[in-house]
Amino acid sequence: MDINLTFSQISDAANEAYQYARQQKGGANANYIPYLANIDSGLFGLSVMLPDGRSVNVGDTGYRFGIESVSKVPTAILCMRQTSPQTILQKIGADATGLPFNSIFAILLENDHPSTPLVNAGAISACSMVQPAGDADAKWKAITDNITDLCGSAPVLIDELYKSESDTNFNNRAITWLLKNYGRIYDDPAMSLDLYTRQCSLGITTEQLAVMAATIAAGGVNPLTGKRVFDSGIAPKITTLIATVGFYQHSGDWLYTSGIPAKSGVGGGVLGVLPGVLGIAAFAPPLDAAGNSVKAQAAILRFMEILGLGIMNGDRVTVAADK
Ligand code: GLN
């Protein structure tokens, strides 16, 4: 079926979804990272961007929050850019774990494989793969330049969050050394973990994340800058990873219900990609038990429902140009 939307329908849906989700109670800020526990839990923003650059922003869309696990998406893209999607499959994997994001058990179950670059193990492994090997500063520059390219503007490190995470990331230290033992850390282990911790501590806004999401939806061309950031062949690969494990052990339920591949972070951010149609991002700190933002999920789900969209629907979706 053909679905022909106007931009004002998209804008109205975003506003209605925002108002609906604002009423959703429940959840709690991540409490295992001290900085995140203290963020104002009333903050809430929703941003949508189309591949042609038109955008809608509702609420606290300029607030800079911790990107956390959403950072796993751009760094996976970077590794695919620097090697190939096939290399990522071989060195890290592309399997859903069905387990929490920080699971050590998942590493053991997957025959010592990190499973996917979108859980902690695979993301630390991905940071170890970033080129140029052995040079922490140059690797960090590659990671942040890539995010800047995807967002059309730079992320800013939240020093306090970085310190907070570095002081408390004992589980991730265990994951790193376990992976090292299995030959899945491709550079210095301490450096790889530090790069991962730092990328999680980057401050980002929903406006920036919506541009990143729209760049993926547009097959690698940033709608804001017009720059081709990555090869179009990478778009379906990263979207597959997002669809299979973006919400960790709730990924199946989420895709089944919402119809949009999305990736969450414990900072309260969610990035959603509807290929060829739009990118969406939401942020609100209170999380459900799996670490996914309650209001961000509600907003994106409602937005999809109002417009009758879904990646599996088989519809050809167009948005009319403004008159
Ligand atoms: N920095 C966090 C961690 O490694 C990210 C987790 C997340 O956002 N799910 O625990």
Side-chain angles (χ1 to χ4, degrees), residues 162-179:
Y162 174 47
K163 184 168 184 337
S164 191
E165 291 217 31
S166 302
D167 289 347
T168 54
N169 64 351
F170 309 113
N171 190 82
N172 288 339
R173 292 183 213 179
I175 287 175
T176 306
W177 286 107
L178 187 59
L179 289 176

Side-chain angles (χ1 to χ4, degrees), residues 13-245:
N15 279 285
E16 192 185 324
Y18 182 88
Q19 296 309 334
Y20 164 81
R22 209 150 68 121
Q23 319 299 326
Q24 302 299 309
K25 303 269 180 291
N29 289 26
N31 61 5
Y32 73 104
I33 298 171
Y35 174 91
L36 297 178
N38 296 322
I39 298 290
D40 177 357
S41 54
L43 288 161
F44 179 29
L46 176 65
S47 297
V48 181
M49 183 170 269
L50 304 185
D52 64 13
R54 284 179 290 176
S55 63
V56 191
N57 295 295
V58 196
D60 302 311
T61 58
Y63 181 85
R64 208 176 267 139
F65 57 92
I67 187 171
E68 295 298 344
S69 279
V70 183
S71 69
K72 291 164 178 162
V73 172
T75 298
I77 291 173
L78 175 63
C79 291
M80 291 186 204
R81 287 172 71 181
Q82 292 187 332
T83 60
S84 69
Q86 187 60 27
T87 307
I88 298 302
L89 182 65
Q90 283 155 359
K91 293 196 150 185
I92 299 176
D95 253 339
T97 62
L99 289 164
F101 58 83
N102 54 4
S103 177
I104 286 173
F105 197 45
I107 304 169
L108 304 173
L109 278 176
E110 279 280 318
N111 274 338
D112 318 337
H113 218 247
S115 302
T116 161
L118 301 195
V119 298
N120 290 18
I124 296 166
S125 187
C127 285
S128 79
M129 277 183 70
V130 169
Q131 298 295 315
D135 184 340
D137 289 346
K139 284 172 74 126
W140 177 243
K141 184 171 178 339
I143 288 170
T144 50
D145 282 354
N146 177 57
I147 295 177
T148 302
D149 280 349
L150 288 163
C151 294
S153 59
V156 180
L157 187 72
I158 304 175
D159 290 313
E160 205 187 326
L161 177 56
Y162 174 47
K163 184 168 184 337
S164 191
E165 291 217 31
S166 302
D167 289 347
T168 54
N169 64 351
F170 309 113
N171 190 82
N172 288 339
R173 292 183 213 179
I175 287 175
T176 306
W177 286 107
L178 187 59
L179 289 176
K180 170 69 182 167
N181 182 55
Y182 293 137
R184 296 291 175 182
I185 294 290
Y186 306 104
D187 204 336
D188 178 73
M191 183 220 284
S192 304
L193 174 62
D194 181 60
L195 287 168
Y196 167 75
T197 309
R198 246 192 290 170
Q199 76 171 23
C200 286
S201 308
L202 286 169
I204 202 93
T205 66
T206 59
E207 288 169 27
Q208 289 177 298
L209 282 186
V211 182
M212 185 189 292
T215 302
I216 300 170
V221 177
N222 183 315
L224 211 57
T225 63
K227 181 173 174 178
R228 172 162 290 284
V229 182
F230 58 80
D231 207 74
S232 61
I234 289 176
K237 302 303 182 196
I238 190 67
T239 308
T240 299
L241 296 179
I242 294 171
T244 47
V245 81

